[in-house]
Amino acid sequence: MKRICVIGNFSGRNAGDAAILEGLLHDVHAVNSRVQFIVPTINTGFVRQAYSRYPIKPVSLLPWHLSVKIFGLPIFFSVLSSDIVLVTDAILFDRRLWDPLYNYLSTMALVLPAAKRRGIPVFLYNVSLGPITCELGRACTKRVLESSEMVIVRDTESIDMLKTWRLWHPRIVLGADCALNVPLVDPSRLERIKAKEGIFRDSRRYMSFNVSSYLDVFVKGRRQGIDKDSFTAIIAETMERILTEMGLDIIFVITQPMDLPIAERVLAKMQCPDRVTLLSNKTYSHNELAAILSRVEMHVGMRTHSLILATASCTPTVGIIATPKNRGYMKSIEQAERMIEFGKGFTAANLFDLIRKTWEERSQVRTRLQPIIAREKEKARRSAEYLLPYLSGE
C-alpha cells in the first residue's frame, strides 16, 4: 500500500478544513483504494473518528511528541516515511512567518526540499497560494514550488500572485476546492436537526448568514480593513432589514468557533434576534452544516468555506470579501458581481441592496450555478487522477 501524507490544518475546529480533508480522502481513495493516509494533526481523536471509513493514520503534533504544532519531528517523520505528499488548503502564506502555531509556510520550506532529495513526490493539491507580502515569504514559496512535482491551484488568484512575485512552476494546473465534493448527511439526520432547532417550519423562508473574525488580517495593503464595531453594526442592521423588510428568518451558520464572539456581538445589537437561529460546528459537523446550507433559499457568507459549502448545492450566495481566497472562489464560480469588498462601499445599504438583488434573482442564479458547480466538482475530483502514475506498483 502507498502511504500518502496529507498536510493541512486538520484540528477539527474549522468546518471548512474538515470538509477539505474528507473531499480529498474521498477523491483519492476512489481512484486507488490501496493507500494509507498519514495525517499530521493536533487532534488525532477527531481525525480518527471523523474519517474512520478511510484507511487513515493520524500523527500527533502535540508538544510531548516533540512538535510545536506543525514544526517538529512528527512532520519530518511523516513526510519522509511517505510515498507521496499532498499539501492542501490555503496554508502557504507568509503572515507571522516564523510562528509555527500559526504559519505553515516556513516549515514547508524546510521539510519539502528534504522530501524531494529523497525522491518523494510532493503535490500542492487544490491549494490557494499566498498572500505573499515580503521577500522572505517569496523565498520560502520558491523553495516549496521547487520541491513540488505538480502545483494544482484552486483559483486564478493564486496564479496571479505567482506572476506578481515572479514565481513559476512548469506544471501548474487549475483544480478546485476539495470541499465541493463533501457528502451531506442523510435526510433523516437533517430532519432531526430541523426538529431540534425549530428551523424550516411550515412555509417560513430562510436565508443563512456567516461572519468571520478576520476583519483586517489579509486585506490591509490591498483593501481597506474595518473595525469590529463598525462591522458588527453593518451586519446587524442588514440582518434586521432582512427580517423586517424581506420577511425572512435567518440561520446564523458559524464554521469556526473563534467566530462565535463576533456573531454574538451582532445578535446583541439587533432588535429582534429571536428570529435568528445560531448554529455552529461546535455542535454540528461539516456534513450537517452543508446539508442545512443546501436547504436555505440564499446564503451570505464571509468564511470561504461557508461560500463553498453553500454553493456546492447551488444555493445563491453573496460573498463578503475578507481574504483573497474568498475573492478567488467567487470568481471561479463566475459570481464576481455578487461580492462586496471592505472599504468605503461596505455599508449596510450597499450590502442589503446586493442581498435583495440576489434574492430577487435567486431562481436564475441557482439555474446558472448548476453547470458551473458541476464543472468545479469535476475539476476537484480530477485532481486525484494526476496521482495515478505515482500510485501504481508496490
Side-chain angles (χ1 to χ4, degrees), residues 231-247:
F231 174 77
T232 52
I234 289 170
I235 299 299
E237 181 181 339
T238 303
M239 290 173 65
E240 287 281 5
R241 293 186 67 182
I242 291 169
L243 297 173
T244 57
E245 297 180 32
M246 298 177 68

Side-chain angles (χ1 to χ4, degrees), residues 12 43 83-84 121-122 136 206 271 277 314 330 344 359 385:
N43 191 343
D83 299 297
I84 299 174
V122 174
L136 193 54
Y206 286 84
Q271 298 298 314
T277 302
C314 298
M330 292 297 285
K344 291 182 179 179
W359 174 262
E385 297 177 4

Side-chain angles (χ1 to χ4, degrees), residues 342-377:
F342 289 152
K344 291 182 179 179
F346 188 73
T347 65
N350 288 343
L351 178 56
F352 180 75
D353 286 346
L354 179 58
I355 289 170
R356 182 166 55 186
K357 184 176 187 294
T358 302
W359 174 262
E360 292 168 351
E361 299 172 353
R362 66 191 184 282
S363 178
Q364 302 96 298
V365 174
R366 188 179 293 273
T367 299
R368 184 185 172 197
L369 278 174
Q370 288 171 358
I372 295 170
I373 295 302
R375 177 197 71 201
E376 294 301 300
K377 288 185 175 184

Side-chain angles (χ1 to χ4, degrees), residues 163-369:
K163 291 177 180 177
T164 298
W165 284 93
R166 302 181 309 281
L167 293 166
W168 179 80
H169 191 279
R171 298 180 71 193
I172 297 179
V173 175
L174 186 59
D177 197 285
C178 299
L180 283 163
N181 290 323
V182 74
L184 310 183
V185 291
D186 62 79
S188 62
R189 173 58 185 152
L190 182 57
E191 288 302 315
R192 292 195 294 272
I193 296 172
K194 287 164 56 178
K196 176 185 175 182
E197 300 292 346
I199 54 177
F200 302 117
R201 294 174 295 172
D202 306 320
S203 58
R204 296 168 76 169
R205 298 178 303 173
Y206 286 84
M207 181 182 295
S208 54
F209 234 92
N210 165 267
V211 293
S212 166
S213 57
Y214 287 124
L215 300 183
D216 62 359
V217 173
F218 291 105
V219 294
K220 282 184 176 176
R222 179 170 179 181
R223 294 286 191 275
Q224 179 181 343
I226 187 170
D227 67 88
K228 190 173 295 185
D229 286 337
S230 298
F231 174 77
T232 52
I234 289 170
I235 299 299
E237 181 181 339
T238 303
M239 290 173 65
E240 287 281 5
R241 293 186 67 182
I242 291 169
L243 297 173
T244 57
E245 297 180 32
M246 298 177 68
L248 305 176
D249 286 354
I250 294 174
I251 302 176
F252 216 161
V253 176
I254 300 301
T255 61
Q256 159 61 273
M258 68 182 288
D259 300 334
L260 282 169
I262 199 163
E264 289 162 355
R265 287 183 64 158
V266 170
L267 293 174
K269 291 186 176 184
M270 296 181 64
Q271 298 298 314
C272 46
D274 54 298
R275 288 178 56 193
V276 179
T277 302
L278 179 62
L279 306 179
S280 84
N281 67 318
K282 285 186 71 173
T283 304
Y284 296 109
S285 71
H286 58 281
N287 313 89
E288 292 167 333
L289 294 180
I292 291 165
L293 293 171
S294 75
R295 294 293 301 274
V296 298
E297 294 191 55
M298 183 181 151
H299 177 64
V300 181
M302 191 169 164
R303 281 268 178 188
T304 305
H305 280 90
S306 87
L307 305 176
I308 292 171
L309 295 178
T311 54
S313 295
C314 298
T315 299
T317 296
V318 165
I320 299 172
I321 306 306
T323 68
K325 61 183 180 179
N326 293 28
R327 189 182 304 111
Y329 178 69
M330 292 297 285
K331 287 182 178 179
S332 75
I333 61 169
E334 301 175 28
Q335 295 292 295
E337 73 275 20
R338 306 196 189 279
M339 302 189 303
I340 185 167
E341 302 260 2
F342 289 152
K344 291 182 179 179
F346 188 73
T347 65
N350 288 343
L351 178 56
F352 180 75
D353 286 346
L354 179 58
I355 289 170
R356 182 166 55 186
K357 184 176 187 294
T358 302
W359 174 262
E360 292 168 351
E361 299 172 353
R362 66 191 184 282
S363 178
Q364 302 96 298
V365 174
R366 188 179 293 273
T367 299
R368 184 185 172 197
L369 278 174

